[in-house]
Amino acid sequence: MEQEYIKLIFGLKLKQIRTDKELSLFGLSKLSGLSKSYLNEIEKGKKYPKPDKIAALSEHLDVPYDEMVSLKLDKNLAPIGEILQSKLLKEIPLELFGIQESTMIDIISNAPSKVTAFISTIIEIAKNYSFSKESFYLASVRSFQEANNNYFDHLEQAVISFSKTYQVDLTQPLNSKELEEILIEEYGYTINKSELESHTALDNLRSIFIPKTKTLLLAKHIDDAQKTFIYAKEIAYNYLKISERLYTFSWIKFENFDQVLNNFYASYFAGALIIPRTRLVADLKLLFSKKSFKNRDFERILNNYNASPESIYQRLTNILPKDFNLKSLFFLRFSHKKNSDNYILNKELHLSKQQSPHANETNEHYCRRWVSLKVLKDISKTNNTHEFDIQISNYPNEGKSYLVLSSATADPFISDSYRSVTIGIQINNQYKKRIAFSKSKSIPSAEVGVTCERCTISNCEVRQVEPIVVLSKLKDEKIAHVVNELQEKFSKL
């Protein structure tokens, strides 16, 4: 273990022994002859006493020396020791949320037994459900995005500064050729567009960066929008002076949290460069000023930028909260194999709070009334390059409604596979204030659930399975009601 954690464990043990014997720091100081301030430093894990001082504490506290220096903690503090020994606190990006590691340890060490039991439960859940380090890191980044309404002004300003420095016109659509020239001329890159094609095992990768020779290997079959995004990310790594980074796109694995965070920063920079804030705000203001919604108006926005629908939908999650105060929204990305009835939710973001449509790990059936699944079903039948749809989704169980827009495209890396990206905006006072077509009756409306197993909508024509979770709950409630009646009946005898 790291030396600092050994000090922390010793301090925790000393504090527990002292408090179990109902001694104050002042009392232990008088008993052991060690100063109160020194003992306080030991208990906080800042100092580790020399053997003679440990011997003095052992003698006066009537605890064997070997037990004092053992790294084993009793059952009340065992979860804390497990956390320290697993180095979990080193992996959690506490500084991202303004928390010092020492503060967190102090909170944990002062926690009652129920809190330490809760921590132990979290550890067990992570083990039993194979919650990987990558999953943990990605969840941390999502929380970071949500805490900041997914808007990062320092990256927005960096894009503006870059455009001025390299005379990139943000009022016009970007193309890969312009960014490729910057990578080659300014950052010394070599672009190789043929090597990846000869390695079938790398079919799912779009690019690999070789840092030693500054060689960027590109997949031959990617379109210009994908190429532009890859170039923009490479520029971000260089312009933002990021050294701790990933070298493949899409990623294979993360070595540490900095790589995850920097991957997000580079992606954000790329999105802001290709889809500039000023232009997108102007496009959205025009769209929101219309009294009725027409698909072609939104599709025109998608065509205004050299970017995939996913990049544009992701960019909306930056701009809508910041410039339109529409903060209650969600983003979803589904994947779907042709002729399959399985829909996989592999990316999501929720701002303000956890919105109703969210991922589940219980193999339940997502609501087939969701527009994000409808567009996937449609595109698998039509073979169009892009399928778009819109609806008002009403969640009767929660009394909430969302304006939901969704686009589906073919997956360029997996044959007969499709992806949909979706953004949902909660219909509230801000929505009604900002969007003129909020009063329009032309947008189709539907009652939806989250999964069939938990849905209370009756006579649903697309239901996949019975609402077993709902039925189980109703059964339990009926049993509880009969039990209460019996208790009342026999308590009067």
Side-chain angles (χ1 to χ4, degrees), residues 52 81 123 128-129 184 251 267 291 349 352 370 430:
D52 61 322
I123 292 170
N128 292 337
Y129 285 87
I184 293 170
W251 63 271
S267 297
K291 295 287 179 68
L349 179 71
S352 289
W370 284 0
Q430 279 303 122

Side-chain angles (χ1 to χ4, degrees), residues 59-74:
E59 180 185 348
H60 293 294
L61 290 170
D62 194 25
V63 176
Y65 184 96
D66 289 347
E67 188 178 323
M68 289 285 292
V69 297
S70 168
L71 296 177
K72 187 177 180 180
L73 294 165
D74 73 12

Side-chain angles (χ1 to χ4, degrees), residues 138-139 141-147 149-151 264 313-314 316-318 321 327-333 345-355 357-359 422-424:
L138 291 168
V141 170
R142 280 199 304 273
S143 296
F144 181 52
Q145 290 175 259
E146 290 160 11
N149 287 319
N150 204 28
Y151 181 83
F264 165 68
Y313 277 68
Q314 292 256 37
L316 290 175
T317 67
N318 310 138
K327 297 178 181 177
S328 295
L329 56 82
F330 62 83
F331 169 88
L332 307 174
R333 184 182 71 195
L345 178 53
N346 46 33
K347 196 169 189 179
E348 62 180 325
L349 179 71
H350 301 264
L351 300 188
S352 289
K353 54 187 169 293
Q354 182 79 353
Q355 316 293 346
H358 50 78
T422 301
I423 191 161

Side-chain angles (χ1 to χ4, degrees), residues 113-126:
S113 58
K114 287 182 180 179
V115 176
T116 53
F118 172 74
I119 293 166
S120 184
T121 302
I122 295 296
I123 292 170
E124 284 303 309
I125 290 171

Side-chain angles (χ1 to χ4, degrees), residues 225-401:
Q226 293 169 330
K227 196 184 300 181
T228 302
F229 184 79
I230 292 168
Y231 287 165
K233 275 190 76 172
E234 290 300 322
I235 284 171
Y237 283 130
N238 286 275
Y239 189 75
L240 299 174
K241 295 181 170 58
I242 293 171
S243 56
E244 195 70 57
R245 56 160 292 179
L246 300 174
Y247 296 110
T248 64
F249 182 63
S250 302
W251 63 271
I252 299 171
K253 65 175 182 176
F254 298 119
E255 298 295 338
N256 55 60
F257 179 74
D258 283 343
Q259 290 180 343
V260 187
L261 183 61
N262 290 335
N263 179 65
F264 165 68
Y265 282 154
S267 297
Y268 189 108
F269 181 100
L273 180 62
I274 298 165
I275 311 157
R277 177 185 173 193
T278 304
R279 281 181 61 205
L280 185 56
V281 167
D283 285 341
L284 290 172
K285 281 182 177 177
L286 181 61
L287 176 71
F288 292 163
S289 69
K290 296 181 183 294
K291 295 287 179 68
S292 63
F293 181 90
K294 291 183 173 57
N295 288 7
R296 67 172 180 267
D297 293 331
F298 184 72
E299 289 173 334
R300 190 178 294 121
I301 292 176
L302 297 181
N303 294 326
N304 274 353
Y305 306 90
N306 185 20
S308 67
E310 180 171 351
S311 294
I312 295 172
Y313 277 68
Q314 292 256 37
R315 189 69 172 129
L316 290 175
T317 67
N318 310 138
I319 300 304
L320 291 175
K322 176 65 178 176
D323 293 285
F324 296 90
N325 202 26
L326 297 171
K327 297 178 181 177
S328 295
L329 56 82
F330 62 83
F331 169 88
L332 307 174
R333 184 182 71 195
F334 276 95
S335 63
H336 173 62
K337 190 83 173 171
K338 192 173 184 178
N339 299 323
S340 164
D341 199 39
N342 190 27
Y343 297 88
I344 300 169
L345 178 53
N346 46 33
K347 196 169 189 179
E348 62 180 325
L349 179 71
H350 301 264
L351 300 188
S352 289
K353 54 187 169 293
Q354 182 79 353
Q355 316 293 346
S356 291
H358 50 78
N360 69 78
E361 301 296 334
T362 52
N363 295 319
E364 294 181 12
H365 298 75
Y366 291 113
C367 178
R368 274 16 182 206
R369 294 184 175 194
W370 284 0
V371 69
S372 48
L373 303 193
K374 285 181 186 176
V375 291
L376 283 170
K377 190 175 180 181
D378 290 344
I379 199 168
S380 65
K381 289 180 178 178
T382 62
N383 291 319
N384 290 337
T385 55
H386 175 243
E387 199 74 40
F388 171 79
D389 206 350
I390 183 172
Q391 78 176 29
I392 303 253
S393 291
N394 303 305
Y395 288 81
N397 287 359
E398 300 182 17
K400 292 177 183 175
S401 298

Side-chain angles (χ1 to χ4, degrees), residues 48-61:
Y48 192 88
K50 292 180 179 178
D52 61 322
K53 291 183 170 57
I54 296 175
L57 288 167
S58 169
E59 180 185 348
H60 293 294
L61 290 170

